[in-house]
Amino acid sequence: NGKLEPVKCCRNLQGHSISPYLIHGGKSVPIVKGGEVTKMDEGEVFAVEVFSSVLGRGYVVEDMECSHYMKNFDAPHVPLRLPAAKKLLTHINKTFGTLPFCRRWLEREDGGSFAVNQNNGKQTRYIGALKNLCDVGLVNAYPPLVDIKGSYIAQYEHTILLRPTCKEVLSRGEDY
């Protein structure tokens, strides 16, 4: 409609360090003034993320049906009683490890990775098993982030590597 709307940074979200097989590596990168001070060291990798809200307050909460998950990096051994949960955990370990995944990938013929499963990885009737894995703390759920009704949230992200003489943008593409 040609109308300009104000854009606000989502003040309760931030970027983070990335460690091998651990997407949220422990250090935070605030996107608004007044956050914690983080010392970035040579050789570290960071996800520099900006979350913005149009027509919102700039403060998000988790809401709605969850579709994204990630195995808990520090998960202890938990005895699982449900055979379906054991089967799904084996699939998650083999296919994704501790990297994020979504339900849509589980439902593909390759179960999320053709390189790992070819066309023999499709998961069926897995929702109860996934809920069980979340309930016992082996898998973390990441629901959608929302601001107020009628607002829009956008995420912008670049991955950087701190080299001795420069900061290398690893995620640079033709659009940047």
Side-chain angles (χ1 to χ4, degrees):
N1 67 4
K3 185 177 176 187
L4 292 177
E5 300 289 350
V7 176
K8 297 178 182 173
C9 281
C10 296
R11 62 189 179 278
N12 61 324
L13 296 174
Q14 52 199 357
H16 50 85
S17 60
I18 301 173
S19 300
Y21 301 100
L22 181 60
I23 295 296
H24 300 110
K27 289 186 176 181
S28 297
V29 181
I31 63 171
V32 294
K33 213 174 196 180
E36 66 181 71
V37 177
T38 301
K39 183 177 186 296
M40 297 177 168
D41 297 313
E42 182 182 316
E44 289 184 317
V45 177
F46 286 88
V48 178
E49 299 180 89
V50 175
F51 293 82
S52 58
S53 176
V54 175
L55 301 172
R57 301 169 301 165
Y59 188 89
V60 297
V61 295
E62 295 177 344
D63 194 18
M64 303 188 314
E65 182 179 1
C66 185
S67 63
H68 288 75
Y69 301 85
M70 186 166 54
K71 184 174 175 223
N72 183 349
F73 187 82
D74 299 316
H77 173 72
V78 175
L80 296 171
R81 293 183 174 172
L82 298 175
K86 290 178 188 178
K87 178 181 176 247
L88 181 59
L89 182 59
T90 298
H91 178 80
I92 291 168
N93 285 333
K94 179 176 83 165
T95 308
F96 309 110
T98 56
L99 298 177
F101 62 94
C102 64
R103 291 191 343 219
R104 183 180 71 240
W105 294 351
L106 296 173
E107 296 165 2
R108 293 185 341 198
E109 291 300 319
D110 64 7
S113 173
F114 184 81
V116 174
N117 303 311
Q118 281 68 47
N119 275 332
N120 299 314
K122 183 175 183 172
Q123 301 299 299
T124 57
R125 302 181 63 182
Y126 64 87
I127 299 294
L130 185 56
K131 181 180 181 329
N132 180 248
L133 294 175
C134 291
D135 290 346
V136 299
L138 293 174
V139 171
N140 294 320
Y142 293 91
L145 301 173
V146 299
D147 199 331
I148 61 174
K149 185 177 175 90
S151 65
Y152 299 92
I153 303 294
Q155 176 195 16
Y156 305 91
E157 177 175 341
H158 270 301
T159 304
I160 63 167
L161 168 62
L162 301 177
R163 296 210 177 268
T165 58
C166 67
K167 295 154 216 63
E168 182 180 351
V169 180
L170 302 175
S171 54
R172 189 179 308 256
E174 293 180 19
D175 62 339
Y176 174 77

